[in-house]
Each structure stands twice: as structure tokens, then as C-alpha cells.
Amino acid sequence: MATVAEQWVLVEMVQALYEAPAYHLILEGILILWIIRLLFSKTYKLQERSDLTLKEKEELIEEWQPEPLVPPVSKDHPALNYNIVSGPPSHNIVVNGKECINFASFNFLGLLDNPRLKAAALASLKKYGVGTCGPRGFYGTFDVHLDLEDRLAKFMKTEEAIIYSYGFATIASAIPAYSKRGDIVFVDKAACFAIQKGLQASRSDIKLFNHNDMDDLERLLKEQEIEDQKNPRKARVTRRFIIVEGLYMNTGTVCPLPELVKLKYKYKARIFLEESLSFGVLGEHGRGVTEHFGINIDDIDLISANMENSLASIGGFCCGRSFVIDHQRLSGQGYCFSASLPPLLAAAAIEALNIMEENPGIFAVLKEKCKRIHKALQGLQQYVNRELPDVQAGFRKGRRTRDPIANIHWIIEKAREFQKKHLFLLY
Amino acid sequence: MRPDPGGCCCSRRPVRANSCVANGEVRNGYVRSSAAAAAASAGQVHHVTQNGGLYKRPFNEGFEETPMLVAVLTYVGYGVLTLFGYLRDFLRHWRIEKCHHATEREEQKDFVSLYQDFENFYTRNLYMRIRDNWNRPICSVPGARVDIMERQSHDYNWSFKYTGNVIKDVINMGSYNYLGFARNSGPCQEAAAKVLEEYGVGVCSTRQEIGNLDKHEELEKLVASFLGVEAAMAYGMGFATNSMNIPALVSKGCLILSDELNHASLVLGARLSGATIRVFKHNNMQSLEKLLKDAIVYGQPRTRRPWKKILILVEGIYSMEGSIVRLPEVIALKKKYKAYLYLDEAHSIGALGPTGRGVVDYFGLDPEDVDIMMGTFTKSFGASGGYIGGKKALIDYLRTHSHSAVYAASLSPPVAEQIITAMKCIMGQDGTTLGQECIQQLAENVRYFRRRLKSMGFIIYGNEDSPVVPLMLYMPAKIGAFGREMLKRNIGVVVVGFPATPIIESRARFCLSAAHTREMLDTALKEIGEVGDLLHLKYSRRRSVPLLDRPFDEMTYEETED
């Protein structure tokens, strides 16, 4: 049956061919020939890509000159030659061969040359050696680390604490562990450099508010709320964080924590508090700015501090609820991918905590002395507000440089010039 | 496949004998015929280089292919685990199973949740099951033998309790103690104790302010003379050295060519710098050359402007693979294309080379060819911290512009003293030959250990001279089993899985040390052999006949059998 049908179709075709008009056939013939020609002609791309020949490429490679690896640094760059300190950087310090009184270290509680700390560190050195030879995950966790984490958690009255081996890396690893691309972070304009690096690594949206200006922050939060109402689906997965410091490194002021906590609950944002300078300084027992204002520590999601200031050791820690802190054990870059803190430094930190717990009176003493110095410096007010030289330590003024520290150096020099004796009556 | 005379040869056919290079001439053993080679699908991939003089010694690196059956079973294993994970999550959600992990505060329940559920799926369901293999707390010096605190868990690893017992004298194959300087007695420790008494522990300031002690200056001069460079600078943390100095060297408009398997600190530093990052295949010089050529010829994307600088980021020894960077070729490429080289010697400083000066010494090259030599003091010197060495202009620039010098604390004085003493010992400046002995002992240990493991039939990755020895496990269940069985037999090992490695290539990683004696290695090898039989880990299809323990010279070659 199939062949008959085929034959029948063929007959039909041939008949149609005979019956078609001539011009039709000619047109179709031309079209077929054109198609065949197109099929076999060389292809070409619509936009002519500049395919360079090998010779041209080699010429380009020959010609290309990179910039020098580093730009030259002039010999009298102010930050090039560091001041050399011989001996321990304690209160009486020998800088460049000259004996001075040290107003420049962050040795707030004077524990740097405390014999108890040295003894504890020595005992640890005799037991463990110096280095830990591994990150926390691979036989780098010592019982000293676990002890220190325990003690810090108890001291700060939180559930858990986690230790980092370097103060800078603490907040710079903590922020990207929680805040990712697409999350929103409200940061004070005067935030320190470590926080800035943490934010840069996190790739989140950053919204800056004026220093210590709660109205500005509220305005930003309200704007964000309006944005959220436009797109509620996105808002349900966007995390919000407010990052502030207890005592700001760049301006020396304290953050208004009670208002911040109110804003937190009103606009549902989490607070990360960076307490490097206020830990061991503010508060009745030295617990930082939360104790200073009498705020429940659970209201703050994460407190981060470094142990290089009041505790006179090296390293940093974060403390808070286990729900928050435990996450960093697997996703804190400075924790997972770096060697752990040398045990002698951890032992020194534990001993420093012991001292802080045993005599809580030192915080009141520190506060008194601060008040006296501030009053004494009032006489130099005219100098305090003068312009700093433009290039200070290679950074331009106004880009969150260490203005107040430079100020103090500068003031001390001026004071020596004018021989203001009463600066040296303390310590 | 003939080796091309200019480049390096990557022979895919199973080569019978190790090719050795003698004065640029190649003496090959017999090579198999191609028919048989096609049949052997799991052939050994030997990267043998014969570059007419670029390499002064044979470069033997092998990454044996995963056997097909093993790969399939590994995927099946992960599939089963994932299904069970979903089941358990379902049960936990409907409260049929008790939920052990911490939860959000009641007052903050209406906040946007801090973690996304699927982010932690792997942690909750796979990592938790074998969590006891990591974070094992120790309570002694991390030397060749270590005391591990015993922990128990009654709720399947969600929480641990310390029983109070201590597992004593566990052979430590996990710590990075290459030259055995992790000691709590001896000259290094005494010097560090003296400095501790005098200087205290902390510094409480940054380098540029008042934290630059005379100890730091001394250390930096010593590091510069150790490496053979003009100047050096030391920092408080190895991770921070990378993440804070790469942004100071390159910025937007520069190009970074980084190896596929670079460490997290290098990746973070590259990201923070703002430069464009392009990744080349691991240790693959053709890939690197292609990227360099394309970069210079085509310039920046879209604008076609020429790049300001090109920086190549490589490591000396890659700690997960055990491979050594092909430094002679990288330097040749760098010179040809006028790029800059940043070499991270975290694991290789002190551990490679006849005098312990790292991978530059190992290949017999000139340290001036490497623009930026970076390394850490954690591994071979038993301390902590990092350094960067190079020309004086570079170090001057870093002293003024490095973020670490301005904002981060400097090294603690006793740690600096430990580094100084250890370095003097390695250089032989303390009057003994202890340093040289340690270096030789490490090299012997490495050769012996690797050869024995290969002869037992395990798949070992990496270069034959690297003290990092990854042993492939592949299947997820074997990760936990290997770690636990070895601890039962009093040997502490490190096991790694996803996400530090590709998902099917989980491994156990041994770090050899000069402090390991031959007896310790033999004990360890015996136990590893037992566990390997128990867990069926001897995957290798190419077993080599064990050789006499002679140092390598032109007359010896290995016979391989299948």
C-alpha cells in the first residue's frame, strides 16, 4: 500500500511541475541556487573582532610597562623611621635613648609590667613552649584557651566567648561571619579601621550615620522601613545590624547605648558592640559600656573586644549568647584559618582577669585620674583645637585617622615646650 | 605524547620509571605502549619536567586519579546522608526529635533570622556526626608526642563533657611542627623566658606609635639575612600579614593572578584590595601563561586600558594538596611578562631546602627574583606571626603604608625572642649543628614516610619532598572512622573534608616533623596499615616495589608493577 501512495504523490508532483507558470519555476530555481551558495560560502561574524596576529600580540607584550611595584617613599616621610623603644613599654619608657613618661600606650590598668602576669606567663611557657603550631581545629586548642573563654564569659556574664589570636582580626572576622551581601549595616561614621575592613569583607550595604547622632540613625532606619514596606518579601530575608563602639578610638567619646537599645527593638536591628577601649575601663567592675549604663547584657547581640589594651596581652575575644557566638567557630575566618593564641599570652590574660576581679577599685582610680588630666588639659584648650599637620603617618586627616592620639603626642611636645609642670604629677 | 622541549612535560601515559634529569639530558626508563595505556584508566599521572636546566632536580608530583567505583560510592554516600539530613530536619521541625542547638531569644523572635536554614544544613547534619575529630583539646606542648584531653558525648556530638582523663603520649601527626621547635625546654625557651621577665608579655600599642621595640628591629634584620633579601618586616599574625598588606600593594586597576587553591588569607587580601582577580589552574603553568598573555594583550575588561600592575599570588607548599609550586617556571614567566611575584611560604619556610631557607633554596634560585617573599613563623619556628621580605624600597613603603603597622599591635617580645633564637639555630649562628641536623632529619622522615605509604597501596597526593602528606579517604563515613580508629591506637591525625577540599576528595593529612623518630614513624605506619586494611583504604592501582633506603641519585630508579 505504501508504494502505491508514494507513486501517487510523485505523479501529483510531476503534474504540478508541468502546470506551474514559468516565472514561478525560474524564481524558485534562483532561490535554491542562492541558498546553496550561502550554505557553502565562508562564515563571517557581524562585528569584526580584532583578532590580532601572533606578531602583534608579541609586540604588545614587549611594549607593556607596568608601574613600579611600590611608589618611592621620600626619606623624610614622617612614618618611615619608627621610634625605637628599648626595654619594656611600661609607664617609664625609653624612647630613642631618652627616658620619657609614657602617655601613648593603651596600658590603661598598668598591667604591662605586673609581676603576677609575668609569673603566670612564665609558668605557661615552661609547660607549653611558645607557639601552638596549628589552628584551633587541628590540635591547636589548649586547655588554657578553653579556660580563658570560660573566664571571659563568666566575667562578662554572657553564655559563651570565643578567642582570636589577634585583636585586629577579631571584629574584622566577626562582621563578615554574620552580615553577607544584601544585608544592611548601620555604622557610625567614626568607626575604627578594623570595623571598616570587616564591613568591606562582608560586601553588605553600608549606611553611615553621623557620629553619635541618634536622630540621624533614626532617620536612616525610618527610610529603610519605608523601603521594606515596598518590598516585604525581600525585607523578610534582609538582616539588619547596627555597629557601634563603646569608646570610640577616633574621637574618645562614648556611644549612647540606652537610645541604641531602644532603636534596636523599635526597628528590629541587631547591635554589635566593639568594646576594645571600654573593656576594663568603663563600668563599676570594668565590664564595659553595658555596665556603665546599666543595660542587660543580653540586649546586645555581640560584644567584641581586644585584649591588647586593658588586659595587656595580645589577641581578642567576642562574647554573647551561644546562639550567636557558636557560629563563628566555623565561619570566622581569623578563627578557622589561623593559628591559635600562644598559651603564654592566654595565661597572662587569665591572670589579668584575676587581678581585675580581685580589686575592682582600680577602675574608680582610673576614672579619677582621667578626670584630673582632662581638667589639667583645659588650660591647653587653645592648642588642642589647632590644626594638625596635613600628612600624619602617611594618612590624610579626616579619613578616620588617629587624630586624638596624634593630638596627645603633639600636646605633650607643646607642654614640654611650655614647661607645664602639673602634667607630670600623676603616676 | 612527546615532551615539548621548551615547556614542561605532563605525561598521561603511565611511565614505568622515574625520569631523571642529568645535565639537561633525559634518561627515560621504558615507556608503555599506548594500547595498554588506554586500558589502564586509573593510571598514575606523573608530572615529570625536563626543562633543559630550569629544574636542577627532578620534580615528582603525583595526583592519582580517583577510581571510578570509589567516586560513585562517595556520591551515593553523600546522597544517603543528605536524605537522612532532610528527614531529621523534618522531625526536628515537627518536634518529634529533640532540638539540641541553641535558639534565638524570645524577645527577638520577630527579628529577621540571623542564619538561613540551608546555610547550616551541612553543619547540622553532616559535620555534627563526626565533630569529635576536630578541636581536640590538648594539655601539653605540641611536640612529637602530645597529651589529649578525653571528651565524651552523650547526645551524638552536640555537646561534650570532659571526663578528666588524659590520653597520654599520642603520636602527633597533626601539628605544624616541621623542625621540632615546639619545645618547652632548651635554649629557645630559656631565651624567651628571659625576655619575658624583662619586657613583659604585651605591647599595648602599634608599630608606628610606641610599640616598636628594639627586639622587633633585631628580628627584622635577622629575617632579612636569613632569607637573603635586603630588608624585612615582621607582623603579629600570619593571616593578617596577607590580608593587610596585599591591599597596600595593589589596588583598583591592577590584576591579581591567583592559584586555584590559595589559602583563605590570600583570597581575603586580594578581595580587600579591590583589584581584579583571575584564577589559574592549580600549579598549571600553561594556564598561568595564557592568563598573562591575555591580560597584557587585551588589557582591562571593557575599557581595554593597560593594567597598572600584575601580581602573581602563589604559595610555597599548598597545605591541602602537599604540592610544591613550580617556582623556576613561575619566575621565568614573571620575567618574560614583567609581572610581580608574591610568594607565600607559610609552610615551606624552614621545611624545604638544604639549608631550610624555603622553596627558593629548594630550587636553588636567587631570592632577588621573588619580589615579595612572605611567610609565617607559626610552623617551622614554633612561634606566631608573619613577615614580608624584599627590596628596601618595598619594605620602606610597607613601613609607612601597611595597615598592620598603623592599626594593629606588634609582636609580643617573648614570641619575637623565640623566633630570633630558632632562626639563629637554623642558620647555625648559635654555634651548634642542631639546625642542620633537624633539616636533614625532616627530609629523611619525609622521604621514608611517603615511600612506605605508597608501597602499602594508599593514594598519596603531592610532591615527594613535601612534609605535608595527604592520604585520600574519599568517602564521608571513612573520615570519621579514620580519625577515631587512629586515636584509639594512640595516634593523632587530622582529617579534612568539605568545604576545605572538593566534596569527594576528603583526606587525612599528616604533617611530619624533625622531632619524629624512626620508631615513631614505624609505629604510625603500622597502625595506618592496619586501619587501612580495616577500612579498605588502599585504593591505589599502582603499587611500587619497596626500595632500599638510599638517597636519590642518577643510578636509582623505581620499578613499578601493577
Side-chain angles (χ1 to χ4, degrees):
Chain A
M1 274 286 110
T3 44
V4 170
E6 271 172 23
Q7 262 183 334
W8 176 74
V9 167
L10 198 58
V11 162
E12 282 265 324
M13 278 172 63
V14 169
Q15 232 180 349
L17 206 64
Y18 279 136
E19 284 175 6
Y23 68 88
H24 189 100
L25 286 175
I26 294 172
L27 193 61
E28 296 225 4
I30 292 176
L31 281 174
I32 290 175
L33 286 172
W34 189 255
I35 290 173
I36 293 174
R37 180 171 169 247
L38 279 178
L39 276 174
F40 286 111
S41 70
K42 235 170 53 170
T43 50
Y44 66 96
K45 293 190 185 85
L46 213 55
Q47 268 184 336
E48 187 67 43
R49 278 253 320 260
S50 58
D51 261 2
L52 302 165
T53 63
L54 206 60
K55 190 159 172 301
E56 283 172 346
K57 284 188 186 174
E58 279 176 21
E59 273 177 21
L60 280 171
I61 293 173
E62 277 290 317
E63 273 177 18
W64 179 69
Q65 283 299 334
E67 278 181 11
L69 179 59
V70 288
V73 172
S74 75
K75 276 205 178 29
D76 35 317
H77 195 288
L80 182 56
N81 297 312
Y82 300 154
N83 298 320
I84 302 184
V85 173
S86 347
S90 52
H91 292 314
N92 290 310
I93 192 173
V94 178
V95 182
N96 291 337
K98 247 176 30 178
E99 286 223 5
C100 300
I101 298 185
N102 187 359
F103 277 92
S105 299
F106 292 131
N107 185 10
F108 300 132
L109 300 176
L111 293 174
L112 197 68
D113 47 0
N114 189 304
R116 276 174 66 178
L117 251 77
K118 289 187 189 173
L122 202 59
S124 173
L125 176 62
K126 290 207 165 81
K127 186 172 178 201
Y128 297 109
V130 175
T132 55
C133 299
R136 287 291 290 258
F138 303 150
Y139 303 102
T141 307
F142 284 55
D143 45 357
V144 202
H145 297 138
L146 299 173
D147 263 341
L148 180 56
E149 286 181 358
D150 226 6
R151 290 293 305 278
L152 282 167
K154 280 205 185 69
F155 180 76
M156 295 293 287
K157 302 207 174 128
T158 58
E159 277 179 20
E160 197 173 331
I162 180 175
I163 302 181
Y164 284 82
S165 55
Y166 205 45
F168 189 97
T170 312
I171 191 70
S173 306
I175 296 177
Y178 300 102
S179 178
K180 313 274 184 205
R181 199 193 289 266
D183 295 333
I184 304 175
V185 181
F186 299 94
V187 182
D188 194 301
K189 274 194 181 151
C192 69
F193 192 73
I195 295 182
Q196 290 172 39
K197 285 291 132 185
L199 289 170
Q200 197 184 347
S202 73
R203 295 196 254 227
S204 319
D205 286 329
I206 303 172
K207 298 201 180 336
L208 299 163
F209 61 91
N210 295 330
H211 178 54
N212 271 353
D213 187 350
M214 291 299 109
D215 296 322
D216 200 27
L217 175 58
E218 183 144 21
R219 174 185 63 86
L220 285 173
L221 286 165
K222 276 210 179 83
E223 278 172 19
Q224 185 55 38
E225 209 180 16
I226 297 173
E227 281 287 326
D228 288 343
Q229 276 157 5
K230 287 189 203 152
N231 193 345
R233 274 184 105 197
K234 188 166 161 219
R236 248 178 292 146
V237 290
T238 314
R239 295 174 275 243
R240 282 142 249 255
F241 300 98
I242 302 176
I243 302 186
V244 283
E245 291 184 50
L247 189 62
Y248 283 92
M249 173 90 82
N250 287 328
T251 61
T253 48
V254 180
C255 75
L257 202 55
E259 284 94 30
L260 276 165
V261 174
K262 282 202 203 91
L263 285 174
K264 164 186 170 165
Y265 285 111
K266 186 166 170 199
Y267 292 98
K268 316 245 181 298
R270 296 172 198 268
I271 299 187
F272 284 2
L273 188 57
E274 217 279 323
E275 289 222 70
S276 291
L277 289 181
S278 52
F279 178 78
V281 169
L282 293 179
E284 202 187 310
H285 295 101
R287 295 202 176 99
V289 77
T290 46
E291 202 183 23
H292 182 76
F293 286 113
I295 293 179
N296 179 9
I297 197 121
D298 280 339
D299 280 334
I300 311 293
D301 293 89
L302 180 92
I303 297 184
S304 148
N306 70 24
M307 308 196 283
E308 290 157 5
N309 304 331
S310 310
L311 287 180
S313 179
I314 305 268
F317 68 91
C318 286
C319 61
R321 296 185 67 243
S322 290
F323 175 71
V324 181
I325 298 296
D326 209 45
H327 181 72
Q328 282 181 50
R329 294 201 192 268
L330 281 179
S331 55
Q333 292 226 316
Y335 182 82
C336 302
F337 295 113
S338 170
S340 47
L341 186 64
L344 63 98
L345 298 170
I350 295 180
E351 194 58 32
L353 268 181
N354 285 344
I355 295 179
M356 276 168 68
E357 281 178 354
E358 280 165 23
N359 27 355
I362 48 175
F363 306 112
V365 171
L366 179 62
K367 205 164 165 182
E368 239 250 30
K369 292 193 177 173
C370 287
K371 284 206 174 95
R372 277 164 89 176
I373 271 260
H374 272 263
K375 221 168 88 174
L377 285 177
Q378 292 300 329
L380 291 178
Q381 190 68 30
Q382 41 173 327
Y383 299 111
V384 172
N385 290 331
R386 260 182 61 179
E387 277 291 322
L388 268 181
D390 231 2
V391 176
Q392 183 77 25
F395 291 83
R396 293 204 316 269
K397 183 174 184 295
R399 291 181 77 200
R400 302 183 186 118
T401 63
R402 312 269 261 193
D403 289 350
I405 314 298
N407 254 328
I408 296 283
H409 275 232
W410 201 83
I411 291 171
I412 300 292
E413 274 174 37
K414 287 291 164 195
R416 268 197 224 117
E417 267 180 49
F418 291 91
Q419 287 174 9
K420 298 276 178 181
K421 287 258 166 37
H422 60 256
L423 273 181
F424 303 128
L425 56 77
L426 304 172
Y427 296 106
Chain B
M1 192 161 62
R2 284 270 168 72
D4 57 333
C8 73
C9 155
C10 170
S11 145
R12 292 261 156 202
R13 278 184 295 179
V15 175
R16 266 289 175 89
N18 278 342
S19 304
C20 34
V21 179
N23 302 324
E25 191 192 281
V26 173
R27 266 189 272 152
N28 240 327
Y30 26 106
V31 179
R32 254 201 188 170
S33 67
S34 49
S41 57
Q44 180 119 12
V45 178
H46 246 299
H47 290 256
V48 174
T49 55
Q50 29 195 91
N51 236 324
L54 257 192
Y55 285 83
K56 299 189 180 73
R57 57 194 296 165
F59 187 86
N60 293 323
E61 216 164 76
F63 298 92
E64 191 172 328
E65 256 177 56
T66 313
M68 179 60 79
L69 179 64
V70 172
V72 166
L73 285 177
T74 311
Y75 281 121
V76 167
Y78 275 108
V80 168
L81 281 169
T82 315
L83 280 176
F84 268 92
Y86 281 125
L87 176 68
R88 299 286 285 274
D89 274 349
F90 176 77
L91 292 177
R92 272 190 280 259
H93 182 71
W94 290 104
R95 308 284 151 90
I96 303 174
E97 184 182 326
K98 195 169 117 177
C99 197
H100 291 272
H101 52 87
T103 46
E104 180 66 274
R105 280 175 84 202
E106 277 307 318
E107 297 92 331
Q108 290 178 217
K109 278 274 190 285
D110 51 349
F111 281 41
V112 176
S113 67
L114 193 53
Y115 313 116
Q116 283 167 310
D117 268 343
F118 73 86
E119 242 174 49
N120 290 351
F121 180 85
Y122 178 81
T123 314
R124 272 198 307 275
N125 297 308
L126 277 79
Y127 174 73
M128 272 300 165
R129 291 168 180 266
I130 47 176
R131 197 160 83 110
D132 56 315
N133 288 308
W134 292 287
N135 295 302
R136 288 184 177 152
I138 68 179
C139 49
S140 75
V141 63
R145 284 190 192 271
V146 76
D147 297 336
I148 299 183
M149 290 165 66
E150 201 184 353
R151 329 180 263 186
Q152 258 180 18
S153 174
H154 299 287
D155 50 1
Y156 299 103
N157 289 345
W158 283 96
S159 64
F160 289 108
K161 288 208 174 21
Y162 294 98
T163 60
N165 291 341
V166 169
I167 309 175
K168 282 205 167 297
D169 289 336
V170 176
I171 296 180
N172 184 0
M173 309 225 64
S175 291
Y176 302 136
N177 180 22
Y178 298 133
L179 289 179
F181 277 107
R183 281 197 281 253
N184 57 358
S185 58
C188 295
Q189 184 262 348
E190 282 162 23
K194 227 162 63 162
V195 168
L196 178 70
E197 280 294 335
E198 195 190 328
Y199 285 79
V201 161
V203 191
C204 295
S205 188
T206 69
R207 283 304 286 279
Q208 282 195 359
E209 291 177 6
I210 208 92
N212 182 43
L213 307 174
D214 45 3
K215 278 281 158 223
H216 297 136
E217 301 278 327
E218 192 189 328
L219 172 63
E220 288 175 357
K221 284 200 188 64
L222 191 63
V223 170
S225 80
F226 179 75
L227 297 171
V229 291
E230 284 177 26
M233 190 168 170
Y235 303 94
M237 184 193 193
F239 187 98
T241 309
N242 277 331
S243 62
M244 295 208 255
N245 287 307
I246 299 180
L249 294 170
V250 289
S251 58
K252 202 151 175 272
C254 304
L255 176 66
I256 292 183
L257 297 175
S258 136
D259 189 293
E260 215 178 2
L261 300 176
N262 267 340
H263 189 252
S265 57
L266 288 166
V267 173
L268 183 63
R271 266 183 49 206
L272 287 178
S273 68
T276 313
I277 308 174
R278 295 205 179 137
V279 170
F280 62 92
K281 293 205 178 35
H282 177 57
N283 236 359
N284 186 331
M285 295 299 115
Q286 285 90 351
S287 172
L288 176 59
E289 181 157 18
K290 181 166 184 312
L291 282 181
L292 276 167
K293 267 204 189 110
D294 283 346
I296 300 179
V297 165
Y298 293 115
Q300 299 190 25
R302 289 188 292 133
T303 57
R304 301 285 189 173
R305 289 210 192 102
W307 295 103
K308 289 201 245 171
K309 282 181 252 199
I310 299 184
L311 186 67
I312 305 176
L313 291 182
V314 285
E315 289 188 41
I317 293 183
Y318 292 90
S319 63
M320 281 300 152
E321 304 284 311
S323 50
I324 298 182
V325 67
R326 293 169 184 278
L327 199 59
E329 291 176 62
V330 174
I331 290 187
L333 280 176
K334 161 198 114 90
K335 284 188 176 147
K336 180 173 171 196
Y337 294 98
K338 296 182 256 195
Y340 299 112
L341 179 60
Y342 185 105
L343 178 65
D344 178 343
E345 292 207 80
H347 286 267
S348 54
I349 191 77
L352 282 183
T355 53
R357 312 286 164 112
V359 72
V360 170
D361 191 29
Y362 174 75
F363 286 113
L365 299 167
D366 185 6
E368 303 222 337
D369 284 335
V370 179
D371 301 290
I372 305 153
M373 292 181 74
M374 177 263 167
T376 60
F377 299 120
T378 328
K379 281 97 188 177
S380 301
F381 300 96
S384 74
Y387 67 85
I388 288 192
K391 299 231 160 34
K392 188 153 187 325
L394 168 72
I395 300 297
D396 278 346
Y397 181 81
L398 285 177
R399 283 171 80 104
T400 51
H401 287 82
S402 160
H403 302 169
S404 173
V406 188
Y407 294 107
S410 36
L411 268 171
S412 162
V415 173
E417 185 62 27
Q418 157 85 10
I419 304 167
I420 292 174
T421 325
M423 212 173 252
K424 285 198 175 135
C425 182
I426 296 177
M427 286 164 76
Q429 279 181 10
D430 60 342
T432 67
T433 52
L434 190 61
Q436 203 55 30
E437 282 167 20
C438 284
I439 297 171
Q440 275 163 3
Q441 177 72 29
L442 176 66
E444 266 179 48
N445 283 355
V446 168
R447 268 197 294 266
Y448 178 67
F449 195 76
R450 274 179 172 268
R451 198 177 353 227
R452 282 287 304 273
L453 277 180
K454 277 219 183 86
S455 72
M456 282 198 232
F458 294 104
I459 296 185
I460 306 287
Y461 271 14
N463 194 303
E464 292 209 348
D465 287 314
S466 105
V468 175
V469 186
L471 185 150
M472 301 309 289
L473 299 172
Y474 298 115
M475 300 185 199
K478 295 192 186 179
I479 307 174
F482 191 81
R484 290 172 190 152
E485 287 294 319
M486 292 305 286
L487 189 60
K488 273 194 215 148
R489 292 167 169 74
N490 234 26
I491 301 182
V493 299
V494 160
V495 288
V496 230
F498 185 75
T501 61
I503 192 146
I504 63 164
E505 289 177 15
S506 31
R507 56 200 74 176
R509 190 185 69 174
F510 302 105
C511 288
L512 296 167
S513 161
H516 287 135
T517 59
R518 195 46 87 88
E519 294 81 44
M520 283 188 221
L521 289 183
D522 283 331
T523 324
L525 284 163
K526 185 165 82 68
E527 306 291 357
I528 294 173
E530 264 179 44
V531 176
D533 283 326
L534 181 67
L535 296 176
H536 299 285
L537 288 174
K538 298 188 175 172
Y539 300 121
S540 177
R541 305 272 191 97
R542 314 206 53 73
R543 291 173 181 240
S544 53
V545 173
L547 259 201
L548 298 172
D549 228 330
R550 279 199 307 253
F552 184 90
D553 63 48
E554 287 150 18
M555 302 309 289
T556 56
Y557 57 90
E558 261 177 42
E559 283 254 4
T560 57
E561 256 176 43
D562 2 32

